[in-house]
Amino acid sequence: MRLMKWLGGAALGATLIMAASSALALTIGFSQVGHESDWRTAFSKSMQDEAKKEGIDLKFSDANQKEEDQLKAVRSFIAQKVDAIVIAPIVLTGWDQVLKEAKEANIPVFIVDRNVDSDPSLFVTRIAADFNLEGKLAGAWAMQALKGRGDIVELVGTVGSAAAEYRRKGFNEVEALFPLVKTVKSQSGDFTTQGGKEVMESFIKATDGLKGIKLVWAHNDNMMLGAIQAMKEAGLKPGKDILTISVDGVPDIFKAMLAGDANASVELRSDIGPDIFAVVKGYLGGKRDYPKWVVIPSDLHTIQDAAEVLKRKGG
């Protein structure tokens, strides 16, 4: 009889614990840019995997690079009365009104990856890498590789996005220190492989087969991978006759390095789900002393450590 009572009490205790756990489970809305690149897909997976691991109910919305869809998603999260909203914004501008709506609903907002050009009081913090620094790292490597002399073509990311704006500015600041280096062509490939291929095809035609071009600078690896394909189809030798530098550090760019088709990439970490949820949960738990920018570090990689990094990434 005592055993039965004990078992009954234990079962009741377990039920109450499970109920309490369920009641405490967080519901977080995440508005993602889209799936335009390998990096973006890996980032989404990191968020989803970490949410599952931590028992977070993640409301995931892929905006397919459409700003209007992203705004609709955020308003949907507000209507659902989620505990917090995480936004990876497509572009810098146009966020003031919806952020005010979230604040009026007492729902904290966290900006991740790209930035917004809004009143900082409208969101808790931004959790992201330093895109300007990424541009400077790429520029420093490029100037050294060129020995301070040569023409460059640039593959720009999504126009109006923080990543494109800040990476370009950082690279240009370094390039400006070298008067014999000049970016002669610059066009957006919208951060996609196909976009990079199409832009490079137009560059090849406009420059008589990249005559005089010494280096290709791309705001992300997927555009560079498309550009490499276009150059090889045109009978050119990327990574040898024409140097390459890009940003993201996706597995395929390291494979291209090992094949001799690419030279360098600045790694933008994609496995940042744990970093983001740590801040969100900390804030919801009462921590209020977060800086307005929680910086995720970036690193430059070349052929020297390509195999090592590729192995780390499971490639």
Side-chain angles (χ1 to χ4, degrees):
M1 182 63 72
R2 288 180 180 177
L3 177 61
M4 292 298 290
K5 287 183 177 180
W6 183 85
L7 289 173
L12 177 61
T15 300
L16 290 173
I17 289 171
M18 289 177 66
S21 176
S22 176
L24 292 173
L26 296 176
T27 299
I28 297 174
F30 175 39
S31 177
Q32 176 63 286
V33 168
H35 52 274
E36 77 288 352
S37 66
D38 295 343
W39 184 90
R40 185 71 50 190
T41 300
F43 172 32
S44 293
K45 185 176 186 301
S46 175
M47 290 289 287
Q48 292 166 327
D49 288 351
E50 186 64 18
K52 184 177 181 180
K53 177 182 175 182
E54 298 194 23
I56 293 170
D57 180 10
L58 186 68
K59 306 295 185 184
F60 178 82
S61 176
D62 183 327
N64 292 301
Q65 292 185 283
K66 296 178 181 177
E67 186 180 2
E68 61 272 23
D69 288 354
Q70 194 160 47
L71 294 173
K72 287 178 184 176
V74 174
R75 289 193 167 100
S76 173
F77 298 151
I78 295 170
Q80 294 176 65
K81 299 180 180 179
V82 298
D83 295 301
I85 295 173
V86 176
I87 304 172
I90 297 171
V91 293
L92 282 161
T93 58
W95 288 101
D96 290 7
Q97 183 56 43
V98 75
L99 291 178
K100 287 177 183 176
E101 291 169 22
K103 188 164 188 177
E104 288 169 0
N106 293 315
I107 299 174
V109 174
F110 301 81
I111 305 300
V112 299
D113 182 34
R114 303 179 186 179
N115 204 1
V116 294
D117 187 13
S118 295
D119 181 349
S121 70
L122 297 176
F123 56 91
V124 176
T125 186
R126 177 183 173 221
I127 307 154
D130 187 336
F131 298 144
N132 184 268
L133 175 61
E134 290 172 351
K136 287 179 178 177
L137 286 171
W141 181 89
M143 298 308 116
Q144 182 179 40
L146 291 172
K147 295 181 173 60
R149 182 188 299 269
D151 288 348
I152 297 172
V153 293
E154 176 187 30
L155 299 169
V156 180
T158 300
V159 175
S161 70
E165 296 290 336
Y166 299 162
R167 284 173 188 161
R168 187 178 208 179
K169 182 179 179 181
F171 189 95
N172 289 350
E173 286 173 355
V174 177
E175 182 184 323
L177 301 174
F178 296 84
L180 298 181
V181 176
K182 183 180 180 182
T183 297
V184 295
K185 292 286 182 182
S186 181
Q187 187 174 328
S188 174
D190 210 22
F191 284 129
T192 68
T193 301
Q194 185 59 32
K197 185 174 187 292
E198 291 173 358
V199 170
M200 181 52 66
E201 287 171 343
S202 72
F203 286 170
I204 290 170
K205 290 179 181 177
T207 59
D208 190 21
L210 297 185
K211 185 176 181 180
I213 304 301
K214 300 300 182 183
L215 181 138
V216 179
W217 150 232
H219 291 188
N220 84 336
D221 291 338
N222 276 86
M223 290 192 295
M224 183 62 79
L225 291 167
I228 287 170
Q229 184 182 349
M231 286 186 278
K232 292 176 75 173
E233 289 176 0
L236 300 169
K237 295 180 179 178
K240 300 178 182 69
D241 298 335
I242 300 168
L243 301 175
T244 75
I245 176 69
S246 50
V247 180
D248 273 358
V250 302
D252 280 352
I253 202 68
F254 294 108
K255 292 176 183 177
M257 286 185 204
L258 294 172
D261 296 328
N263 301 107
S265 177
V266 178
E267 183 181 14
L268 173 67
R269 280 183 51 209
S270 61
D271 58 343
I272 56 175
D275 302 81
I276 292 167
F277 286 124
V279 174
V280 175
K281 290 178 69 177
Y283 182 85
L284 294 175
K287 182 176 169 61
R288 292 292 184 271
D289 58 350
Y290 287 105
K292 275 299 174 179
W293 183 10
V294 178
V295 182
I296 304 295
S298 300
D299 297 302
L300 174 70
H301 300 288
T302 65
I303 184 63
Q304 277 70 35
D305 64 347
E308 177 187 341
V309 178
L310 183 61
K311 182 178 180 181
R312 167 166 61 83
K313 291 178 174 287

